[in-house]
Amino acid sequence: MLQHQPSRTAEYMAMFRASEHAKGAGRRVFTDPLAVALLPGSLRLSAKLLAVRPVGEMLNRYIDRQWPGARTSGIARTRLIDDWIEESIGQAEQVVLLGAGFDTRAWRLAALDSVKVFEVDHPATAKVKRERLQAAGADLNRVTFVAVDFEINDFEQRLRDAGFDPARRTIVVWEGVSQYLTGDAVCGVMRWAGRLAPRSRFIFTYVHEGAIDGSVTFDGAEKVIAKVDGSGEPWRFGLLPGELPDFLRERGLRLVSDLGADQYRERVMGQAGRHMQGYGFYHTVLAEVGDA
């Protein structure tokens, strides 16, 4: 991301969540009333128009043409991760959102009311997020904010200084981050997760390595990657699904589920999800820390 500026990716994800919330009760797969408040003025007007038919449908089609599959993938994986958190929360005492961006789960999910939530992110994004949430009247005390640059700072120490206890069972969510980091930074985070209390859960996303190096063809991937390369936030790291179980095992983690975008869209959106294309290179993973 660009220094001293909030992540553009975080803003786009908030825009996608706003587009889903705008569908209204009975049609949306999750609610996120704070998504619009997290957007800059340039996107906030567009987000408000999403609730107006048929303008909203036209805007969604425009987004889908520009970023094939990104919006529907982002929406479906948001709900998938929500479900995994709610399924796991009864056994956890704390939740860590790494590279939290403009995530609003601490305010959206009632399941998080009874646990301590830590949000770890770059200082520039965290600062803007707090300002926009405060302006929207959100209770900032629901979250412990921890400012970290993953490429520079020791995020483990900063988390501990903020009150995080690695000996307690934890749910870690690392959504939409790994592809922007170096391999060393990614492996460092995974080794940390693998040292957490046994049966802690680690939820993360990754991009298929073949989409980044061009060795595997995915629908719409070339267009999407060209856009992210030009955004100032290029993708640098990927994984191969077939190598993932061993990759995780070497870092103290056990693979529970690895779903590509086509799979998690169908899981969340049913029959409609089967007809959505693009972003097939994007994966969402549930892993667990092995017993000591």
Side-chain angles (χ1 to χ4, degrees), residues 14-24 27 35-37 39-63 71:
M15 181 70 172
F16 298 159
R17 295 199 311 272
S19 77
E20 185 65 16
H21 183 81
K23 290 180 180 179
R27 298 179 63 235
V36 171
L39 297 174
S42 58
L43 291 177
R44 195 171 298 180
L45 175 60
S46 296
K48 290 180 178 179
L49 290 174
L50 288 167
V52 181
R53 293 186 183 181
V55 178
E57 294 169 356
M58 293 171 60
L59 280 172
N60 283 336
R61 286 196 296 270
Y62 174 78
I63 293 170
R71 184 183 65 86

Side-chain angles (χ1 to χ4, degrees), residues 254-272:
R254 178 181 65 87
L255 177 63
V256 177
S257 183
D258 177 13
L259 300 179
D262 294 336
Q263 296 169 300
Y264 58 70
R265 276 191 294 243
E266 182 176 351
R267 171 171 166 160
V268 169
M269 300 170 176
Q271 185 68 27

Side-chain angles (χ1 to χ4, degrees), residues 112 116 132 165 209 222 237 245 263 268:
L112 298 185
K116 190 164 187 177
R132 293 177 183 173
D165 184 354
E209 183 180 296
E222 186 174 342
F237 177 84
Q263 296 169 300
V268 169

